[in-house]
Structures are given as C-alpha cells and as structure tokens.
Amino acid sequence: MINKPLLSAVLFILLNSACAQQPSAPAAGDEQAYEIGIMVQEIQTALTDPEHAQSLQTIISYGTDSRYYVMIRGWLFQELVGVESQLHASRSKKSSAEFQLRSDFLKQAIRAIDLE
C-alpha cells in the first residue's frame, strides 16, 4: 500500500529542489523535473511489486545517488513504518505473509542504500 500523501510530499520537494537548482535555465529545469517524476514513478512501481526481480535494483540505483539518498531513504522508512504497523495489526496468515514480504523487502532496500 503506497502512502499517497507521502509520495506527493516527496515529489513536491524533489521537484522544488530541481527547479531551485536551475533558475536561469527553465528548459533544463523542466527536463530535470521530468526525470525526477520518472524516478518517483519507477520507485513507486518497485514498491508495489517487491517480488519482481528488478524492483530492488531500481531502488538501489536511485537510492545510492547522493542527490536523492535522504529523500528516498526517508520514503522507504515511512513505508516500512506503515507496513510494520499493518503487519502487527493483521490477523490473517495470508495478510501477515504479504506484509512480512514487504517489510523484508523494505529493510533490504534500506540496508542496501545505506551500505553504498
């Protein structure tokens, strides 16, 4: 489950910082904002499908970029907090297994970008 308010906040902050870095070149800023939008969409897709082979690699490739590390790590951590809350509240084994899979994936992703 994607935290849409958090995703919106992350996208807003990234887009604002991208535009602030290039105030004299709006075309370049627009291109950078577009690239950041693509990055956010790819990470969101990776988070919705942790079993896909490329999901972890997508997060690692963006999360190890020093320009975005703090924002992506914060995003992953907030997703982990939400998933762990759902895991602890879950009563069915099927839901628990799904939440445990997502929790393990998020922990692995955080660890991978922290170790870089």
Side-chain angles (χ1 to χ4, degrees), residues 4-83:
K4 293 196 183 208
L6 178 63
L7 177 61
S8 297
V10 168
L11 184 57
F12 178 77
I13 291 169
L14 287 173
L15 290 175
N16 277 343
S17 69
C19 291
Q21 291 174 359
Q22 299 281 338
S24 63
D30 289 345
E31 184 177 317
Q32 188 175 15
Y34 176 77
E35 290 173 7
I36 291 171
I38 296 295
M39 174 186 68
V40 168
Q41 287 179 337
E42 288 181 4
I43 292 171
Q44 181 178 5
T45 300
L47 290 173
T48 59
D49 191 11
E51 293 180 323
H52 190 271
Q54 197 61 23
S55 293
L56 185 61
Q57 189 55 42
T58 298
I59 292 171
I60 291 170
S61 68
Y62 287 121
T64 55
D65 185 331
S66 62
R67 296 172 295 174
Y68 310 118
Y69 165 78
V70 172
M71 195 61 58
I72 292 172
R73 192 188 188 292
W75 180 6
L76 295 174
F77 179 75
Q78 290 302 315
E79 288 287 329
L80 179 60
V81 168
V83 168

